[in-house]
Amino acid sequence: MTGILYGVGVGPGDPELVTVKAARLIADADVVAYHSARHGRSNARACAAPYLREGQTEIRLMYPVTTETTDHPGGYRGALEDFYAGAAEELAAHLAAGRNVALLAEGDPMFYSSYMHMHKRLRDRFECIVVPGVTSISAAAAATGVPLVEADEVLTVLPGTLPASELRRRLADTDAAAIMKLGRTFPTVRGALQGADRDGAAWYVERASRADERVLALGDVSAEDVPYFATVLVPGRINAPTAPSGGEVVVVGLGPGDEAWTTPEVRHELSEATDIVGYRTYTDRVHPRPGQRVHASENRVEAERSRHALELAASGARVAVVSSGDPGVFAMASAVAEVAADPAFHDVTVRVLPGMTAANAVASRAGAPLGHDYAVLSLSDYLKPWAVIEERLRAIAAADLALAVYNPASRTRREQLVRMREVLLEVRARETVVIIGRAVGSADESVTVTTLGAFDPAQVDMRCLLIVGSSRTEVTERAAGRIVHTPRRY
């Protein structure tokens, strides 16, 4: 009968954080194994020491390399692969002889642990039982005394070995974070935290739960003193708000519908805001965190909405003004900039963050109809005279540009769409491609490809965006699906 391999989590460092089950299995095991660096010391064994008994066989699995270079022909990874293969066979010999082996793992065996490399190599040959342990993240959070995540906040665990740009992106896109594997990576990690504007709330915890534990604010840490066994925690914003001392307005684009089209940069700003301001249809797409104030208003009050946002910022609030699509395309960025020109708001910071436009979203569903020069036009005559719109339609048609048409119709505004078709047909052929994108990015999405001659304005409602092709725009019927494109060359 073969033995059982127990992957035993011994916790982050304090022997008293070893679970009752782990202590029992360590004491009962015939063989106790643990990994170590070349100096021979093992933190895992130190945690388990009170539970060892006389007569047990101990196996030290000593890494050939840790962070240094190697002359192994397969490089660092090759050296470790050979080591894991040899270590697994050393344990397999004891298991095949019927001995139970407790392989100690710092923290939890399945969480950035060396145990998993043995588990994957031996689980098909022997019974393997994993005993979970307290992770260093749990111990570090306890050491700070600050709740790490609360309510619906999301925790992201990051290795400090990631590139700075990837760390920065993920830090900006989460509520709370735990960053492990520090040591030489600490300067990169600190730079990423600063770049994501998360450093002010970050805690540094070194050797959590051990007698030599240290807990510091990130700014108090010297990079020269950071060991590998350290963790940086960024608590969720409910318990560690990071709002700046002065107010500002950030105008953001949510994208045309699908939440996946909202950029990480915009999500970060929304989570940092104290106040969300916008048209009710768009504020309903935002999921406010506890404590955030949402100021929803009806359509056609852009100036009033902008002034309210700027007044909130002037009083110290961090305000996110939300738009659909891109805020600079027939949306709130222009309105906020116009009101911000008032001398009363000269000291209020205003920033604009881009979003995916509805034109790009609809174009992507059809193929590449905007692949060459194109124009963008709003058909609404609420803020500009119809005569100006008609003049621009003729100029676009004469220039043979593809055209993205925003605000093509509403419940009360239908005749403009009929007139648009008539004006375009004065110059354009009836075979000109027309794409009707409705509610793209939502569950109600539909995309219709037709021609200017066959185009029926009754098909269009306020949730639509139109794309009218140039004379060069082509529709290709394919077995894999129809595709529309405008060539980039003449």
Side-chain angles (χ1 to χ4, degrees):
M1 184 175 179
T2 58
I4 300 172
L5 175 65
Y6 293 96
V8 181
V10 294
D14 183 350
E16 292 187 340
L17 291 179
V18 174
T19 66
V20 172
K21 184 174 184 177
R24 174 175 60 80
L25 290 173
I26 291 168
D28 290 346
D30 303 304
V31 178
V32 176
Y34 45 86
H35 289 85
S36 78
R38 297 173 74 175
H39 51 58
R41 299 184 299 277
S42 168
N43 291 324
R45 189 196 183 283
C47 293
Y51 312 107
L52 298 173
R53 59 175 173 79
E54 291 186 11
Q56 289 178 303
T57 299
E58 293 191 28
I59 299 176
R60 180 187 294 133
L61 304 174
M62 187 178 295
Y63 281 108
V65 289
T66 48
T67 60
E68 66 271 21
T69 58
T70 176
D71 57 2
H72 189 282
Y76 182 85
R77 186 174 294 276
L80 286 182
E81 285 297 316
D82 284 354
F83 163 69
Y84 290 137
E89 290 311 309
E90 186 174 358
L91 299 181
H94 288 281
L95 294 167
R99 304 183 190 100
N100 290 338
V101 177
L103 177 53
L104 309 179
E106 293 174 71
D108 182 273
M110 293 302 203
F111 188 76
Y112 291 126
S113 166
S114 298
Y115 165 77
M116 62 186 68
H117 299 289
M118 301 297 99
H119 183 88
K120 291 186 289 186
R121 286 167 171 80
L122 297 172
R123 63 187 172 188
D124 293 334
R125 298 161 59 188
F126 304 99
E127 183 179 1
C128 297
I129 296 176
V130 177
V131 182
V134 177
T135 69
S136 60
I137 292 175
S138 299
T144 67
V146 177
L148 186 55
V149 280
E150 184 177 331
D152 295 329
E153 290 183 324
V154 175
L155 170 66
T156 300
V157 180
L158 300 167
T161 49
L162 287 175
S165 58
E166 183 67 5
L167 279 171
R168 199 163 49 244
R169 181 183 73 81
R170 291 179 180 268
L171 285 165
D173 196 29
T174 190
D175 299 307
I179 309 175
M180 307 177 66
K181 302 186 179 183
L182 298 183
R184 294 190 299 179
T185 69
F186 182 75
T188 299
V189 169
R190 179 154 58 188
L193 285 159
Q194 291 168 343
D197 195 23
R198 304 301 298 274
D199 55 312
W203 290 91
Y204 167 87
V205 183
E206 180 179 304
R207 299 185 175 93
S209 84
R210 288 175 32 171
D212 53 352
E213 171 187 281
R214 288 202 308 158
V215 182
L216 298 168
L218 186 74
D220 297 334
V221 180
S222 171
E224 292 75 22
D225 300 331
V226 175
Y228 182 82
F229 290 104
T231 303
V232 169
L233 296 183
V234 183
R237 295 172 178 87
I238 293 175
N239 294 290
T242 58
S245 55
E248 67 171 344
V249 172
V250 184
V251 192
V252 303
L254 301 176
D258 193 321
E259 286 192 4
W261 287 340
T262 302
T263 68
E265 182 183 36
V266 167
R267 284 197 291 267
H268 170 65
E269 289 297 339
L270 289 172
S271 66
E272 292 285 340
T274 59
D275 295 76
I276 308 292
V277 173
Y279 172 37
R280 191 176 308 279
T281 299
Y282 305 145
T283 59
D284 285 348
R285 290 174 53 188
V286 177
H287 308 294
R289 59 172 170 77
Q292 276 185 323
R293 296 170 295 186
V294 178
H295 309 269
S297 54
E298 298 308 318
N299 202 6
R300 296 192 174 186
V301 291
E302 288 89 349
E304 293 90 335
R305 191 181 300 140
S306 300
R307 183 167 295 275
H308 184 208
L310 288 159
E311 288 171 347
L312 288 169
S315 66
R318 184 166 183 167
V319 185
V321 177
V322 296
S323 290
S324 181
D326 183 282
V329 180
F330 305 121
M332 284 301 299
S334 178
V336 171
E338 184 175 353
V339 178
D342 186 327
F345 302 120
H346 277 192
D347 294 331
V348 177
T349 299
V350 175
R351 294 188 289 125
V352 179
L353 300 186
M356 182 189 289
T357 69
N360 293 148
V362 172
S364 71
R365 292 300 200 240
L370 302 181
H372 203 352
D373 302 333
Y374 68 93
V376 177
L377 180 74
S378 171
L379 214 60
S380 171
D381 58 355
Y382 174 62
L383 296 174
K384 64 179 182 288
W386 175 255
V388 172
I389 297 173
E390 193 164 311
E391 180 183 359
R392 291 176 179 177
L393 281 170
R394 285 195 169 89
I396 292 166
D400 196 22
L401 297 172
L403 170 63
V405 182
Y406 281 72
N407 307 310
S410 68
R411 292 187 184 93
T412 60
R413 183 170 46 80
R414 310 294 307 177
E415 66 279 1
Q416 289 90 338
L417 198 55
V418 175
R419 184 59 184 151
M420 179 201 78
R421 177 176 178 272
E422 293 172 349
V423 170
L424 292 177
L425 282 172
E426 292 173 5
V427 177
R428 296 286 180 88
R430 296 179 63 83
E431 293 75 26
T432 301
V433 177
V434 174
I435 299 163
I436 306 170
R438 184 180 184 279
V440 168
S442 76
D444 300 325
E445 172 182 316
S446 66
V447 177
T448 302
V449 179
T450 183
T451 65
L452 194 56
F455 171 62
D456 180 5
Q459 293 179 272
V460 178
D461 62 25
M462 60 195 304
R463 301 184 69 189
C464 292
L465 180 136
L466 305 182
I467 295 177
V468 181
S470 74
S471 64
R472 303 280 294 169
T473 304
E474 302 174 12
V475 179
T476 305
E477 301 293 345
R478 307 160 56 248
R482 178 169 53 192
I483 192 165
V484 182
H485 82 287
T486 301
R488 294 178 59 196
R489 59 184 178 274
Y490 272 69

